Amino acid sequence: MLNGIDDEEKWLAEGIAGIQHNAFYMHQALDSNNLREALKYSAQMLSELRTSKLSPHKYYELYMRAFDELRKLEMFFKEDSKHGVSVIDLYELVQHAGNILPRLYLLCTVGSVYIKSKEAPAKEVLKDLVEMCRGVQHPIRGLFLRSYLAQISRDKLPDIGSEYEGDADTVMDAVEFVLQNFTEMNKLWVQMQHQGPGRFREKQEKERSELRDLVGKNLHVLSQIEGVDLGIYKETVLTRVLEQVVNCKDDLAQYYLMDCIIQVFPDEYHLQTLETLLGACPQLQPTVDVKTVLSRLMDRLSNYAASSEDVLPEFLQVEAFTKLSNAIGKVIEAQVDMPAVGAITLYVSLLTFTLCVHPDRLDYVDQVLGACVKKLYNIPKLEDSRAMKQVVALLSAPLEKYNDIVTALTLSNYPRVMDHLDNGTNKVMAMVIIQSIMKNNTFISTAHKVEVLFELIKGLIKDKDGADVDELDEEDFKDEQNSVARLIHMLYNDEPEEMLKIICIVRKHTMAGGPKRLPFTVPSLVFSALRLVWRLQGQEGDIVGEEVPATPKKIFQLLTQIIEALSAVPSPELALRLYLQCAEAANGCDLELVAYEFFTQAFVLYEEEIADSKAQVTAIHLIIGTLQRMNVFGVENRDTMTHKTTGYSARLLKKPDQCRAVYACSHLFWVDDQDGIKDGERVLLCLKRALRIANAAQQMANVARGSSGPVILFVEILNKYLYFFEKGNQQITGAAIQDLIELINTEMQSDSATPDTASDAFLASTLRYIQFQKQKGGVMGEKFEAIKF
Amino acid sequence: MVLVLAIGDLHIPHRAPDLPPKFKSMLVPGKIQHIICTGNLCIKEVHDYFKSLCPDLHITRGEYDEDYRYPENKTLTIGQFKLGICHGHQVIPWGDLDSLAMLQRQLDVDILVTGHTHQFKAYKHEGGVVINPGSATGAYSSFTYDVNPSFVLMDIDGLRVVVYVYELIDGEVKVDKIDFKKTPTTRSAH
């Protein structure tokens, strides 16, 4: 192979040398106005172009050298004063050149001068030249010769407004000339593939490719001819070009030329000739990448539509969408072996076009999706990842365009397309949908739409048959479920009946999610329902409707069932918190029995399921805090609850925890608002119990560690004494507080005391507080005077 | 001038999908020196988001937080001020200012930042200042029906702290400010 390249270099060098050599003598002849000699040497020079040894790339280099020299010759030809021969005679003279190739180059060169002289109509000369060039049938040589003809004739076409237009010369003649040259060039180009042995096929393809612009140039020229209006384009240009494209039956040429037509001629023309253009597609060779051709056409048309609003009616008038849609259908039908990714890419292009040109025609959009579904129907599950990516692109396009998932939800074929994705990609798409909702802050406001939405994201909501949740990466799974949890808050309607329907649908779907998903989805659903309860709280009476109206009671029934599901996980701590939230909400609705039931559930969980001591401490504080705010309980029920609660508090594992929980319980007997319970005695009982526990803690510390225990507990209890003292609990006297302060001081100063800056600081700040209250004067000041230290 | 963001009770994803967009556009990395978070984020994503705003992040545990390792309460010193953080579900009665004052005495801090009720409060008492930044997402709360999203920005400058509260009311961000000064002789802020 290397040898071959070396040889080519050698031949090229020889060729160039030959040209230079003859050019030198040609220049001498030109300088001395010697026409005969000039012709002789130029013919010799042009003989170098007769070589068959060079590849197109190298031939081009040789050709360019010759081209440059021919310009000088042309200048000489023009000056008939210099050589004394008329251009008509010159035209005759050059035909005596020995070999046909030099002869024709010279003829073209003279032809250029001839046309310029206007001694004959341009069309006559052009016709003659384009016919004569048939004499060279060698592909490469012929192509370059005709390319030369095209180059020199470019500015001499009888276009409208050009100097070469006349009665005999019209734009049609110009068109005819270019078309003929184009047709012949294409034939030569196609012929190249039949040359040479098969093993050089790849090299040949590459070489052919290098020459394609020579052929395509003609189309450029056609597009530049002013006189070619839509009519001429439609009747003559497109018809003839397509004829050649289809008839040449060469896939390389067909692909290139179709694309060339699309890129070179105005979009307006394409719209008006859409049927013709599309009609050619099924006639192309099956190996032609027609989907790329169609995609590029649709892209151009999309951009055209985007450029100006005035253009849009035209699209409707020519029924662009229908034609494109049908054409694509035909192509897919015809090319049975087209892989899935090819078909889907086509639909993606069509959808992009539709969204760009007809965004308001949701029926069109749905149609495209439907066509894609039909194609996918024959493929049970797509295996190809590229095809998958295209399906995702197909589904994402409407989301991005409409910025509003609600519109996408109305497309009936949307979920059907999603069904064809594999599990992994389906979930990716579901996440894309959720993110689109979150990003655009869209609210989904009807039960029906929620149902459709959940159908779309069902891959995230529950396990597909056979799929193994354990296989999923934990982080990814968490992300997914948190996204679903967040999504639930975007499902909202002001109207309570509709909102309740929405909650029921969400419940139906999330309950099927299994124990792994419930801890994520249940809280969101619960709080969404509790929000609805808040809204209904104020409303009186029944709402008129066919079904049972939305009432807090009904919602609480739902809530009980929803939270119960957490036992399957199990998630007792979460369930306890949610039960307490519901109890508070029931309190707000004045539903004593419902609230009682929720508390019962919470207590049961506490007793039976929450064993971890830290968790117990938090749980008991939540219970105390919630219970303290309950005002719906009658005396008996309240007593039962507080009794249980103080009991749990006293039975916590660690003494300090016990102490704190018990003194927290003191607040259960004192509620600050006007109707609230204010049982001073029981408050004091709690505080005294807390003191006993603190004492016990001290003794234990002495025994177990030989040092004093947490003095700070006493300071905390002291603060509680002060709290109730201030609130007016008669059972708490100044003397009692004084005693407590003394006790603390004793403990702190005892031999076994370990220095504890926290306790010291707390005591100091507490004493400062007492001092501050004393100095307040008035009622408070008097009260605090009772405390002496 | 030291800027401290006090924020909490977002309850993402249990009660709210995300921070309000208007808040998100205001909270830009690099402007804030410290973040104090009362708890109930609830997920790691929110933690990471705060971390991206400011690396000096202090969080205490709310009862719904995913991460169990956040402390029950925390104290830190910024400039001349001692600050304490506690979510507040541990202080009974919930939202009771006198009980919170007790916690403040116990932690021995000038400023106590606490949450749980989702109601903005800036309360001055003998022992110092109690600040509740409210809920940054306006999350559901049994304390109040309509929760406006809110957060607090404290500007600590010497012995003075200016508390800016940002509230989202009817789609507009409203700002209010309260001044607190600490006298150097007494240990508490007035």
Side-chain angles (χ1 to χ4, degrees):
Chain A
M1 240 9 240
L2 210 59
N3 234 357
I5 294 175
D6 279 345
D7 283 340
E8 259 203 82
E9 289 286 349
K10 196 180 71 170
W11 295 323
L12 175 62
E14 280 174 8
I16 293 175
I19 289 181
Q20 283 173 334
H21 175 84
N22 287 299
F24 174 74
Y25 289 110
M26 186 186 83
H27 293 161
Q28 277 194 336
L30 295 180
D31 287 338
S32 48
N33 292 342
N34 189 335
L35 181 62
R36 186 148 247 118
E37 291 283 295
L39 289 178
K40 170 172 154 207
Y41 285 111
S42 59
Q44 272 175 227
M45 175 184 78
L46 288 165
S47 289
E48 296 296 338
L49 290 177
R50 291 176 61 214
T51 177
S52 349
K53 294 187 195 156
L54 297 176
S55 67
H57 191 67
K58 298 265 184 290
Y59 191 92
Y60 175 74
E61 282 188 62
L62 202 60
Y63 165 85
M64 284 313 289
R65 303 277 176 146
F67 183 88
D68 290 338
E69 298 305 333
L70 285 174
R71 300 282 64 67
K72 297 177 191 149
L73 190 60
E74 183 179 345
M75 268 200 316
F76 178 69
F77 284 161
K78 223 186 335 189
E79 318 271 334
D80 49 6
S81 56
K82 281 198 173 167
H83 52 76
V85 180
S86 72
V87 70
I88 298 168
D89 289 337
L90 200 50
Y91 196 77
E92 177 65 27
L93 201 54
V94 295
Q95 295 190 42
H96 293 306
N99 293 305
I100 187 164
L101 191 68
R103 190 188 320 152
L104 290 173
Y105 271 103
L106 289 173
L107 197 62
C108 289
T109 314
V110 176
S112 170
V113 178
Y114 199 172
I115 296 171
K116 259 204 157 124
S117 74
K118 306 226 179 100
E119 301 244 0
K123 94 167 185 204
E124 301 274 347
V125 183
L126 291 173
K127 196 159 187 297
D128 197 40
L129 290 174
V130 81
E131 296 263 352
M132 297 279 265
C133 283
R134 277 186 211 244
V136 179
Q137 283 299 318
H138 182 272
I140 296 180
R141 297 199 289 267
L143 272 170
F144 276 95
L145 173 64
R146 285 191 178 273
S147 185
Y148 181 69
L149 173 59
Q151 271 178 289
I152 54 120
S153 64
R154 183 78 195 268
D155 57 341
K156 300 173 184 77
L157 299 172
D159 192 1
I160 47 168
S162 102
E163 57 182 294
Y164 302 105
E165 192 189 18
D167 296 323
D169 294 302
T170 65
V171 70
M172 284 313 292
D173 297 310
V175 168
E176 190 56 46
F177 165 72
V178 180
L179 278 175
Q180 223 186 317
N181 204 23
F182 161 74
T183 307
E184 294 306 316
M185 283 178 83
N186 195 41
K187 285 186 189 161
L188 289 170
W189 190 39
V190 168
Q191 219 182 306
M192 273 179 78
Q193 70 165 314
H194 299 299
Q195 280 193 315
R199 60 199 155 113
F200 291 118
R201 187 59 54 80
E202 208 182 283
K203 183 160 172 269
Q204 241 171 42
E205 288 265 323
K206 184 168 170 293
E207 288 182 356
R208 278 198 62 201
S209 203
E210 286 169 1
L211 290 172
R212 64 186 186 193
D213 287 337
L214 293 181
V215 181
K217 196 74 198 290
N218 292 295
L219 297 179
H220 261 281
V221 171
L222 282 168
S223 75
Q224 302 284 342
I225 299 177
E226 295 262 357
V228 173
D229 58 12
L230 178 58
I232 295 178
Y233 175 77
K234 222 172 159 169
E235 295 298 321
T236 313
V237 175
L238 186 61
T239 327
R240 290 273 295 277
V241 172
L242 281 180
E243 206 183 299
Q244 172 56 213
V245 169
V246 169
N247 289 341
C248 77
K249 294 205 193 320
D250 174 64
D251 51 7
L252 190 70
Q254 286 181 337
Y255 178 76
Y256 172 68
L257 290 172
M258 285 299 287
D259 197 47
C260 211
I261 295 170
I262 292 166
Q263 301 303 329
V264 149
F265 291 103
D267 300 311
E268 197 197 334
Y269 285 11
H270 295 318
L271 262 188
Q272 296 297 333
T273 57
L274 207 49
E275 215 155 346
T276 317
L277 196 57
L278 295 175
C281 289
Q283 299 179 54
L284 302 176
Q285 300 298 102
T287 42
V288 173
D289 184 10
V290 74
K291 67 178 186 319
T292 309
V293 171
L294 287 172
S295 293
R296 282 161 75 83
L297 174 63
M298 285 188 277
D299 286 344
R300 275 199 74 102
L301 293 176
S302 296
N303 287 334
Y304 182 47
S307 68
S308 143
E309 273 189 10
D310 301 328
V311 161
L312 290 175
E314 219 187 312
F315 277 84
L316 286 168
Q317 188 221 3
V318 305
E319 292 175 20
F321 172 78
T322 318
K323 290 192 178 137
L324 284 167
S325 184
N326 289 339
I328 290 172
K330 284 209 188 90
V331 164
I332 291 178
E333 235 179 293
Q335 299 194 358
V336 187
D337 294 329
M338 189 195 284
V341 63
I344 301 166
T345 312
L346 263 174
Y347 285 122
V348 173
S349 290
L350 182 59
L351 187 62
T352 314
F353 169 83
T354 315
L355 290 171
C356 194
V357 178
H358 304 293
D360 52 327
R361 294 294 299 262
L362 292 176
D363 56 330
Y364 280 174
V365 178
D366 208 19
Q367 213 180 311
V368 178
L369 292 177
C372 195
V373 169
K374 252 176 80 180
K375 174 72 187 170
L376 290 172
Y377 202 72
N378 301 321
I379 310 161
K381 256 323 191 265
L382 279 176
E383 296 294 329
D384 181 6
S385 69
R386 286 177 310 149
M388 212 49 80
K389 276 211 182 93
Q390 287 300 324
V391 178
V392 172
L394 189 74
L395 292 169
S396 303
L399 294 180
E400 280 156 25
K401 175 71 187 182
Y402 296 119
N403 260 348
D404 170 12
I405 183 69
V406 181
T407 313
L409 290 177
T410 61
L411 301 166
S412 65
N413 286 309
Y414 200 93
R416 292 189 201 136
V417 177
M418 276 194 76
D419 276 340
H420 283 274
L421 294 170
D422 68 72
N423 289 340
T425 320
N426 189 301
K427 284 204 261 189
V428 167
M429 198 57 224
M431 289 292 277
V432 168
I433 291 172
I434 294 179
Q435 271 148 26
S436 164
I437 295 173
M438 306 300 306
K439 189 178 71 149
N440 296 313
N441 229 16
T442 357
F443 282 89
I444 318 290
S445 58
T446 69
H448 172 70
K449 289 197 188 113
V450 171
E451 187 70 67
V452 176
L453 176 62
F454 271 77
E455 177 63 29
L456 288 180
I457 62 173
K458 64 181 180 230
L460 298 177
I461 306 293
K462 58 174 183 257
D463 300 331
K464 281 225 164 144
D465 311 311
D468 196 354
V469 172
D470 289 319
E471 279 177 20
L472 199 60
D473 176 60
E474 207 188 294
E475 284 293 323
D476 287 342
F477 182 74
K478 259 193 193 168
D479 274 341
E480 274 176 22
Q481 296 311 310
N482 279 328
S483 292
V484 176
R486 291 160 97 144
L487 176 67
I488 290 174
H489 299 292
M490 307 305 289
L491 313 173
Y492 180 77
N493 192 313
D494 262 332
E495 216 266 295
E497 287 299 332
E498 195 65 26
M499 188 64 212
L500 184 56
K501 283 199 195 130
I502 291 175
I503 289 173
C504 289
I505 291 174
V506 177
R507 170 173 163 254
K508 179 181 75 172
H509 286 276
T510 52
M511 289 295 112
K516 283 219 161 79
R517 293 189 174 83
L518 289 172
F520 294 94
T521 51
V522 165
S524 283
L525 182 55
V526 166
F527 284 108
S528 186
L530 285 175
R531 270 217 305 273
L532 182 56
V533 169
W534 259 120
R535 293 245 316 282
L536 290 171
Q537 225 176 297
Q539 284 179 339
E540 291 288 345
D542 291 334
I543 303 152
V544 176
E546 314 107 30
E547 298 157 25
V548 181
T551 61
K553 255 204 194 144
K554 197 168 196 303
I555 300 172
F556 284 126
Q557 283 166 2
L558 274 173
L559 282 166
T560 309
Q561 290 168 355
I562 293 168
I563 303 172
E564 247 165 30
L566 285 175
S567 61
V569 179
S571 252
E573 290 178 54
L574 178 59
L576 180 136
R577 283 153 176 70
L578 296 175
Y579 280 132
L580 291 176
Q581 289 282 350
C582 291
E584 264 194 282
N587 183 69
C589 296
D590 241 349
L591 295 167
E592 183 182 0
L593 294 178
V594 177
Y596 189 88
E597 180 57 30
F598 280 125
F599 260 98
T600 309
Q601 294 296 333
F603 282 150
V604 167
L605 281 175
Y606 181 86
E607 277 180 35
E608 295 179 5
E609 308 285 340
I610 299 178
D612 176 75
S613 44
K614 251 193 119 188
Q616 282 183 339
V617 171
T618 309
I620 202 63
H621 279 279
L622 292 175
I623 290 173
I624 299 170
T626 312
L627 188 54
Q628 198 268 344
R629 292 166 55 77
M630 298 280 109
N631 52 28
V632 75
F633 289 134
V635 175
E636 248 184 61
N637 282 338
R638 194 176 176 88
D639 272 346
T640 315
M641 305 265 98
T642 52
H643 181 72
K644 267 279 181 203
T645 308
T646 45
Y648 294 149
S649 306
R651 283 197 297 278
L652 286 169
L653 181 62
K654 301 184 202 157
K655 287 263 177 262
D657 290 333
Q658 279 180 16
C659 179
R660 292 183 171 118
V662 167
Y663 76 57
C665 284
S666 65
H667 290 282
L668 293 175
F669 305 105
W670 194 280
V671 177
D672 230 358
D673 69 52
Q674 55 185 31
D675 305 327
I677 175 179
K678 286 188 180 66
D679 190 338
E681 253 183 56
R682 295 182 76 178
V683 166
L684 186 57
L685 274 171
C686 264
L687 294 181
K688 280 192 170 163
R689 195 173 180 185
L691 265 178
R692 282 199 298 280
I693 299 173
N695 267 318
Q698 284 288 64
Q699 284 168 4
M700 265 174 60
N702 269 321
V703 168
R705 294 163 208 243
S707 64
S708 75
V711 184
I712 199 160
L713 286 174
F714 290 111
V715 186
E716 291 174 36
I717 298 170
L718 169 63
N719 274 271
K720 285 298 168 190
Y721 266 74
L722 286 168
Y723 177 95
F724 289 107
F725 178 71
E726 225 181 280
K727 297 284 178 194
N729 184 347
Q730 305 288 339
Q731 308 295 325
I732 295 178
T733 59
I737 294 175
Q738 270 170 234
D739 288 339
L740 190 46
I741 296 173
E742 248 180 71
L743 167 67
I744 295 170
N745 280 322
T746 317
E747 288 291 334
M748 280 183 171
Q749 285 151 15
S750 85
D751 291 328
S752 57
T754 42
D756 179 4
T757 37
S759 308
D760 290 339
F762 193 11
L763 180 61
S765 59
T766 310
L767 294 176
R768 261 203 316 278
Y769 173 69
I770 298 173
Q771 198 59 31
F772 180 79
Q773 294 294 72
K774 280 195 194 193
Q775 284 163 3
K776 253 188 181 167
V779 177
M780 197 56 71
E782 268 183 50
K783 202 184 254 194
F784 271 78
E785 274 310 306
I787 306 173
K788 299 181 191 4
F789 54 83
Chain B
M1 172 177 104
V2 176
L3 285 179
V4 183
L5 174 67
I7 192 169
D9 286 311
L10 292 92
H11 287 281
I12 295 172
H14 302 145
R15 306 189 199 184
D18 206 355
L19 267 173
K22 288 209 163 145
F23 280 359
K24 265 196 162 159
S25 60
M26 291 172 71
L27 295 172
V28 173
K31 300 275 174 66
I32 298 162
Q33 279 77 55
H34 309 274
I35 297 185
I36 286 177
C37 183
T38 53
N40 276 343
L41 302 179
C42 308
I43 50 179
K44 185 170 176 295
E45 215 181 290
V46 183
H47 178 117
D48 291 342
Y49 167 70
F50 284 149
K51 208 67 200 230
S52 76
L53 290 180
C54 164
D56 193 42
L57 175 60
H58 305 272
I59 310 183
T60 49
R61 192 173 147 248
E63 77 273 34
Y64 285 92
D65 273 314
E66 181 185 60
D67 194 337
Y68 281 49
R69 296 166 302 172
Y70 298 143
E72 295 289 317
N73 57 52
K74 199 170 188 189
T75 57
L76 64 151
T77 306
I78 297 176
Q80 304 281 342
F81 286 87
K82 279 161 71 177
L83 295 98
I85 323 167
C86 178
H87 177 250
H89 64 271
Q90 307 93 328
V91 179
I92 289 161
W94 291 336
D96 182 84
L97 291 167
D98 294 314
S99 296
L100 288 169
M102 168 184 158
L103 177 62
Q104 184 152 15
R105 289 193 284 274
Q106 184 166 356
L107 295 177
D108 192 28
V109 291
D110 304 309
I111 303 173
L112 174 66
V113 182
T114 177
H116 188 57
T117 61
H118 300 199
Q119 286 170 313
F120 163 72
K121 283 261 181 322
Y123 169 72
K124 187 163 58 183
H125 63 96
E126 173 271 341
V129 176
V130 175
I131 295 177
N132 184 333
S135 160
T137 54
Y140 167 91
S141 159
S142 53
F143 280 78
T144 172
Y145 175 42
D146 258 322
V147 182
N148 289 321
S150 66
F151 67 86
V152 156
L153 207 53
M154 292 185 276
D155 183 356
I156 295 179
D157 193 3
L159 293 170
R160 182 169 170 250
V161 58
V162 183
V163 175
Y164 296 94
V165 57
Y166 295 81
E167 246 185 304
L168 189 65
I169 303 174
D170 289 330
E172 292 301 318
V173 178
K174 303 247 170 18
V175 192
D176 213 345
K177 78 171 190 171
I178 309 159
D179 257 87
F180 294 108
K181 255 204 278 287
K182 172 180 165 167
T183 50
T185 48
T186 62
R187 295 194 65 220
S188 53
H190 285 285

